[in-house]
Amino acid sequence: MNDATLKVLKAIAEDVLALAHLILDENGLKNSALRNGVRYTVECSDNPVITILFNDYVEYIENGRKPNSGEAPPISDLREWAQRKGIPATNDVLYAIAETIKKQGMAPRPVLAVLEQQIEDSFSNEWADQLFEAIMEELEVFFND
C-alpha cells in the first residue's frame, strides 16, 4: 500500500471520527465520556481496516433501557456524568438516579445507526473516489517501475 492510499484511509478515519463527534454533540453528549473516548485505528495489511472504538456504554445510548428490565446502572458510572452536569455526586443522589433509570428506563438515541448512514453516504459521495484515485496512483507506480 502506498503513501497516498494510507493518507486517504487516515483522512477517512478522521472524517468518521468528526462525524461521530458531531452526532454525539447533536444528541446531548457533547461533553460526555462517550464522546471524549471515541478513537480509531487504521490497519494497513493486505485488507486495510478502519476501526472506530466507543466506550462500552454506547449500547445503552443506542438501545436505551426498558423500565424495570434489569439492574440499575452502576453508581460509579454515574459519578462523572453528575459532576459534569453540576449534580451533587453523593452516593445517595447517585443511587436515586440509578434507581430512577432502573424504574423508568431511558429512551434510545440511535447514534450508531445515524453514524452508519452518514458513513455510507460519505463513502458513496466522496471517499470511494478518493480511494480510487489513490489506488490508481499506486497501480501506475507499480506498472511503470
Side-chain angles (χ1 to χ4, degrees), residues 15-123:
D15 287 352
V16 171
L17 183 63
L19 283 172
H21 285 159
L22 180 64
I23 292 165
L24 292 170
D25 291 354
E26 291 171 348
N27 281 277
L29 298 162
K30 185 172 188 168
N31 295 316
S32 70
L34 178 62
R35 183 198 189 278
N36 296 332
V38 179
R39 61 192 190 285
Y40 71 85
T41 61
V42 177
E43 295 176 30
C44 299
S45 57
D46 292 337
N47 296 310
V49 175
I50 297 172
T51 306
I52 306 298
L53 304 165
F54 289 86
N55 292 346
D56 60 352
Y57 74 90
V58 72
E59 176 184 344
Y60 297 108
I61 300 297
E62 183 76 9
N63 300 317
R65 285 180 177 258
K66 292 183 176 156
N68 301 312
S69 64
E71 296 182 16
I75 289 175
S76 59
D77 291 348
L78 296 173
R79 190 171 312 282
E80 184 181 324
W81 169 83
Q83 289 170 337
R84 279 194 322 275
K85 298 289 185 181
I87 298 169
T90 60
N91 285 344
D92 58 332
V93 170
L94 296 175
Y95 177 79
I97 292 170
E99 285 300 306
T100 300
I101 292 171
K102 178 182 175 182
K103 290 176 185 170
Q104 295 180 5
M106 188 175 75
R109 292 182 268 178
V111 294
L112 295 178
V114 172
L115 179 60
E116 181 180 7
Q117 183 60 53
Q118 290 192 10
I119 288 171
E120 287 178 16
D121 293 347
S122 293
F123 191 83

